[in-house]
Amino acid sequence: MKHPLPFPLKGTFTVLLMMWLICPSLWAQPRNLQAPRRNPMRQINPEFFQSDEARRIGDQILAYQRVTGGWPKNIDMARKLSPAELDKVLKDKARKDDSTIDNNATTTQMNFLARLYEQTADVRYRDAFRAGVAYLLSGQYENGGWPQFWPITHGYQFNITYNDDAMVNTLEMFRSMAGQEAPYTGDLTDKALRKQLSEAFDKGIECILNTQIVVNGEPTIWCQQHDRTTLKPAAARAFELVSYGPQESAGIVQLLMELPRPSARVKKAIHGAMKWFDTYKLTGLRVVRTVSDQGARDVKLVSDAAATPIWARYYDLEHCEPFVCDRDGIPRRRLEQIGTERRIGYSWYGGRPAQLYPLYEAWAQKQDRKHKLNISLTSKGANENGTIDMYRRPSVDRSAFDIVVKPGQSIQAAIEKAPEASEKPFKILITNGTYNQKVIIDRPNIVLVGENRDSTILTLAELSGKRTIREYRGKPVGNGVIVLQEGADDCVISGLTVYNNYGSTVEKTTAHQMAIFGRATRTIVINSNVWADGNDALSLWAPQSGGMYYHADLFLRCPGVDFLCPRGWCFATRCRFYGDSRAIIWHDGRGDKSKKLVITDCEFDAASPTILGRYHHDSQFFLVFCKLSKNILDTNISYAYTDKVLDPCPWGQRTYYYGCTREGGHSGWLDNNLQTAENPPTAYYSVTARWTFAGKWDPEKRIRELWDVLAY
């Protein structure tokens, strides 16, 4: 066999993490991962396949096989099923939408059945194996590639799939079957089928060569997916962008090096890939996985001069530089810039290509000494020798803005130049400087972007009862440095410091001093400092039907109460909150039981002991992977008053948590309880913006579309 290990060329952590992610107990408290048990699906001992246990597993594998001939993924088919569970499995046999070669599905089951047939001669296992062969052959495109799922395929599943070695595993099995290598012996195949498998293998190799990314005439490596028609690199899930993919490419190169009589084109492909691996290896860096005293897991990339070379999971096509990505689909340079769920739930760096170096040395000596490369795992990597900028900052396209505002100019005048009812974004760039202005947005699709969040400052000293402007264009205006009037929908605010400093410059009070106030919907506020010296700093209060709001990468600072206080549906991620003695978050969900405030991967701290949150109207809070300092009091979000009832809140307390920690521990209220919510998410990783807004709005798609001007 090519790989002596049960999980070829993958780290133990990756294997454990996959087992954790697909475990039925999706709501378990985060804890230290335990050593894996021996997976019976990976057994190769002939004696095992003579046992009753092997037959029991084999019979369950038969039950799971779909009418397509293939199998679904991420199911422990060795786990003993109850009669009721088996009945449900059998009812699913007619499904045609979940048969796949992803995550080692189908090939793993076929391998088990082949070994079982070899020891038992039970024709049921042989026939099921042959149905699997027919399934695999049926999925191959004319160009030689395979999709991820078939015959029913959706979205990115149509792409030619190298991810998780899906296509490589299939080709390896075809090669072994065509050569009648164990366990694919006897009458599992016949001469005609072996010829068909050999031809399919050759087509697959041709597809691999045709999809190799070529730059300036030189072959490099592959993307995880390639378009089935154009063969160009293609994206998959939101966090799997078009890129160079060295981890999967390593498996492809190893397969090519195993060809007994490589063509000149195959040789060139191998040399080109190895040159890329050597050029873009990363040195002096090590991946560290930690578990805090509170059970919070994390992954960091740290400096370590003694570390062996690693490669990123993804390199961008423009600069060949590493990036990571959250479920928002926005590429980032640093692990700490993405949320906990994706940071710990994906292998962003790995050493798999390093295992090719000795193999390449032997291969080149035998097959092509003339063109053998001088490569080494001990030389400096691209990050240390200046080949790449490891942490390149994204840059905006200044030419994409409709108008640029400079210090001394009026932001309001710029807004008034936008169409009053435009369906297209009107993009305004505010250059570095301090702007002592009140900004009123009264029309849709305004995109307000500061040059730099720390040096593009909008400031105003205004108390709610002492507004500087009370009416604009015949309509009343609320309190705030930036005010979104009703109808100013689809507004994006980014790259600014917005500060209402009334309490520190005019009168020492924490009465209502909004920094951003709004009565519009589909409002996005990202990459900004939102500060106020009084209550309700970020107040988005669309009319009673409710608004939808999205926040990311904010620093919210306020000594007052309720300084994040949305009415309707709100999703906030990767934000930092800093309060002082009074409740930080608040929510108004009146009128619709599905309204919610969802906060993920945020940090809460305070200058003095401070309650996390409160409510006095119907509300619903979801907090996932949030970190609370010791100055956040050990008490749950609760009703605001003890001396009166402002609103009876018939839906009661609805506060839900997952993976949250508090410095110094907590009395139990932060325990995982997502599953107790009405219509809960399917799992913790389903708590996303799209889930928050029930698919009615995709703010992250809008951000991606505007990334040329929002980049940060």
Side-chain angles (χ1 to χ4, degrees):
M1 291 184 65
K2 173 179 165 183
H3 301 298
L5 298 175
F7 292 89
L9 300 177
K10 293 184 183 288
T12 301
F13 177 81
T14 303
V15 177
L16 288 167
L17 189 55
M18 286 179 61
M19 294 172 66
W20 176 68
L21 288 173
I22 65 175
C23 174
S25 181
L26 291 167
W27 306 106
Q29 179 76 18
R31 60 185 184 273
N32 289 325
L33 295 172
Q34 304 297 317
R37 65 182 176 86
R38 173 71 176 178
N39 185 351
M41 295 290 291
R42 296 287 182 176
Q43 277 280 1
I44 59 174
N45 185 349
E47 291 183 1
F48 171 78
F49 288 96
Q50 296 169 10
S51 69
D52 291 341
E53 174 68 0
R55 280 183 171 272
R56 181 192 67 77
I57 295 171
D59 290 348
Q60 288 192 171
I61 289 173
L62 298 184
Y64 276 108
Q65 188 175 29
R66 305 310 197 208
V67 293
T68 61
W71 282 265
K73 68 175 181 177
N74 296 348
I75 298 174
D76 181 1
M77 297 185 187
R79 183 181 67 85
K80 190 171 183 178
L81 298 173
S82 69
E85 289 174 324
L86 178 60
D87 184 60
K88 184 180 184 307
V89 169
L90 292 173
K91 288 178 180 177
D92 282 340
K93 285 187 75 68
R95 289 184 63 173
K96 297 182 179 181
D97 62 344
D98 64 350
S99 299
T100 182
I101 54 174
D102 191 35
N103 288 6
N104 299 302
T106 298
T107 52
T108 296
Q109 286 78 17
M110 290 174 62
N111 183 284
F112 191 97
L113 292 177
R115 295 181 185 280
L116 193 54
Y117 177 63
E118 190 177 43
Q119 298 301 318
T120 66
D122 189 327
V123 296
R124 294 180 304 139
Y125 305 135
R126 179 200 64 191
D127 293 346
F129 177 88
R130 288 177 177 175
V133 175
Y135 171 72
L136 293 178
L137 286 169
S138 73
Q140 189 175 32
Y141 292 137
E142 188 57 38
N143 60 28
W146 270 270
Q148 190 179 70
F149 287 78
W150 74 91
I152 295 177
T153 307
H154 304 285
Y156 68 84
Q157 296 171 358
F158 282 106
N159 294 335
I160 295 168
T161 303
Y162 298 127
N163 195 16
D164 292 326
D165 293 338
M167 186 165 149
V168 167
N169 287 342
T170 302
L171 289 173
E172 287 178 332
M173 177 170 274
F174 277 19
R175 180 183 59 190
S176 296
M177 286 191 288
Q180 288 191 290
E181 298 174 13
Y184 312 116
T185 56
D187 62 345
L188 278 176
T189 61
D190 57 28
K191 185 176 181 180
L193 180 57
R194 290 193 292 274
K195 181 175 183 296
Q196 190 178 0
L197 292 168
S198 181
E199 291 171 349
F201 178 85
D202 291 342
K203 282 176 62 177
I205 297 298
E206 186 70 14
C207 177
I208 285 173
L209 298 176
N210 289 337
T211 51
Q212 190 170 20
I213 302 170
V214 177
V215 178
N216 298 325
E218 294 297 320
T220 61
I221 60 171
W222 293 261
C223 185
Q224 284 188 167
Q225 300 82 210
H226 285 256
D227 186 273
R228 63 171 177 165
T229 303
T230 67
L231 305 186
K232 292 181 179 180
R237 289 175 289 185
F239 52 89
E240 295 172 328
L241 307 183
V242 170
S243 63
Y244 293 101
Q247 307 300 333
E248 272 75 14
S249 294
I252 294 172
V253 172
Q254 185 167 352
L255 176 65
L256 293 178
M257 284 196 290
E258 291 170 350
L259 297 176
R261 292 175 295 279
S263 66
R265 191 179 178 198
V266 168
K267 293 176 183 178
K268 186 175 181 180
I270 293 171
H271 290 309
M274 293 305 300
K275 180 180 179 180
W276 192 98
F277 288 135
D278 200 56
T279 301
Y280 295 105
K281 65 179 180 286
L282 307 175
T283 53
L285 296 171
R286 180 167 53 90
V287 176
V288 176
R289 297 174 176 88
T290 61
V291 181
S292 73
D293 292 340
Q294 288 76 39
R297 294 184 297 163
D298 206 355
V299 179
K300 297 179 180 179
L301 190 65
V302 301
S303 297
D304 182 353
T308 56
I310 58 175
W311 287 258
R313 183 70 176 257
Y314 301 125
Y315 291 70
D316 67 70
L317 296 185
E318 182 179 2
H319 302 290
C320 274
E321 292 171 348
F323 69 88
V324 296
C325 196
D326 216 328
R327 291 186 183 271
D328 58 8
I330 302 297
R332 304 289 185 183
R333 294 297 184 179
R334 300 176 185 271
L335 277 172
E336 57 267 29
Q337 293 175 324
I338 63 174
T340 303
E341 185 270 324
R342 277 300 80 197
R343 196 162 64 243
I344 68 173
Y346 207 60
S347 298
W348 293 109
Y349 297 91
R352 186 177 183 185
Q355 301 184 45
L356 296 176
Y357 278 63
L359 299 178
Y360 173 76
E361 179 74 18
W363 175 86
Q365 279 292 114
K366 178 181 179 181
Q367 300 287 6
D368 196 7
R369 277 182 286 179
K370 179 180 177 181
H371 297 103
K372 179 183 172 185
L373 299 172
N374 182 23
I375 59 176
S376 171
L377 289 172
T378 61
S379 61
K380 294 289 187 183
N383 58 312
E384 291 193 304
N385 64 24
T387 299
I388 63 172
D389 180 355
M390 182 78 173
Y391 302 113
R392 183 186 300 271
R393 289 177 61 88
S395 57
V396 301
D397 179 5
R398 292 177 73 103
S399 67
F401 287 93
D402 294 287
I403 192 167
V404 177
V405 180
K406 299 178 181 179
Q409 296 178 336
S410 169
I411 300 170
Q412 195 64 49
I415 291 170
E416 290 173 357
K417 291 182 179 179
E420 292 194 18
S422 176
E423 294 183 359
K424 296 191 338 183
F426 188 82
K427 306 166 189 173
I428 302 171
L429 174 64
I430 306 172
T431 60
N432 288 339
T434 299
Y435 299 78
N436 299 110
Q437 304 176 21
K438 185 179 180 77
V439 176
I440 302 166
I441 301 174
D442 67 337
R443 56 203 69 194
N445 265 310
I446 295 296
V447 179
L448 205 62
V449 182
E451 186 176 3
N452 183 290
R453 65 182 285 170
D454 295 318
S455 51
T456 308
I457 303 169
L458 276 63
T459 184
L460 184 74
E462 183 179 84
L463 197 66
S464 181
K466 299 178 181 179
R467 281 167 283 169
T468 57
I469 300 174
R470 293 182 174 273
E471 186 177 288
Y472 180 74
R473 294 166 64 94
K475 294 183 179 179
V477 174
N479 169 236
V481 183
I482 298 178
V483 175
L484 283 73
Q485 299 285 75
E486 192 169 344
D489 301 334
D490 299 300
C491 177
V492 181
I493 297 170
S494 178
L496 298 170
T497 290
V498 186
Y499 183 22
N500 189 333
N501 60 2
Y502 184 93
S504 58
T505 61
V506 179
E507 176 188 0
K508 190 173 182 180
T509 177
T510 57
H512 281 145
Q513 298 166 46
M514 285 77 161
I516 300 176
F517 175 82
R519 292 198 178 278
T521 189
R522 297 187 300 276
T523 302
I524 295 173
V525 185
I526 56 176
N527 181 37
S528 294
N529 302 313
V530 182
W531 301 339
D533 290 339
N535 305 339
D536 297 38
L538 180 50
S539 303
L540 300 183
W541 297 348
Q544 194 59 41
S545 58
M548 296 183 286
Y549 325 111
Y550 178 90
H551 308 311
D553 306 300
L554 301 181
F555 176 27
L556 293 120
R557 187 187 72 192
C558 180
V561 71
D562 306 338
F563 57 91
L564 177 65
C565 52
R567 294 180 175 177
W569 295 263
C570 180
F571 181 84
T573 188
R574 302 187 305 270
C575 297
R576 185 159 62 102
F577 297 82
Y578 190 77
D580 189 358
S581 79
R582 304 175 70 189
I584 293 174
I585 58 176
W586 176 95
H587 178 240
D588 182 348
R590 286 175 290 176
D592 189 325
K593 216 171 182 181
S594 72
K595 290 178 180 176
K596 56 181 70 74
L597 170 56
V598 179
I599 301 178
T600 70
D601 290 288
C602 291
E603 297 179 2
F604 293 85
D605 194 8
S608 60
T610 298
I611 191 170
L612 174 62
R614 66 175 195 160
Y615 62 91
H616 50 261
H617 296 299
D618 284 312
S619 59
Q620 187 172 205
F621 299 84
F622 290 84
L623 278 77
V624 176
F625 287 125
C626 290
K627 297 179 181 178
L628 284 58
S629 79
K630 62 184 178 183
N631 268 348
I632 303 301
L633 290 168
D634 183 18
T635 183
N636 201 357
I637 297 168
S638 59
Y639 193 79
Y641 305 110
T642 57
D643 59 338
K644 61 183 176 180
V645 177
L646 186 68
D647 187 322
C649 300
W651 297 330
Q653 183 186 49
R654 296 186 295 163
T655 56
Y656 308 106
Y657 304 96
Y658 184 86
C660 296
T661 59
R662 178 183 176 273
E663 187 181 4
H666 61 89
S667 56
W669 60 277
L670 268 181
D671 286 346
N672 298 341
N673 67 339
L674 275 181
Q675 74 277 21
T676 66
E678 187 174 337
N679 300 315
T682 54
Y684 69 92
Y685 49 79
S686 300
V687 181
T688 62
R690 287 182 62 82
W691 174 80
T692 301
F693 306 116
K696 297 175 182 176
W697 181 43
D698 188 351
E700 292 167 343
K701 178 175 182 290
R702 181 167 173 80
I703 293 169
R704 292 193 296 271
E705 291 170 346
L706 291 167
W707 196 242
D708 59 335
V709 299
L710 297 175
Y712 64 91

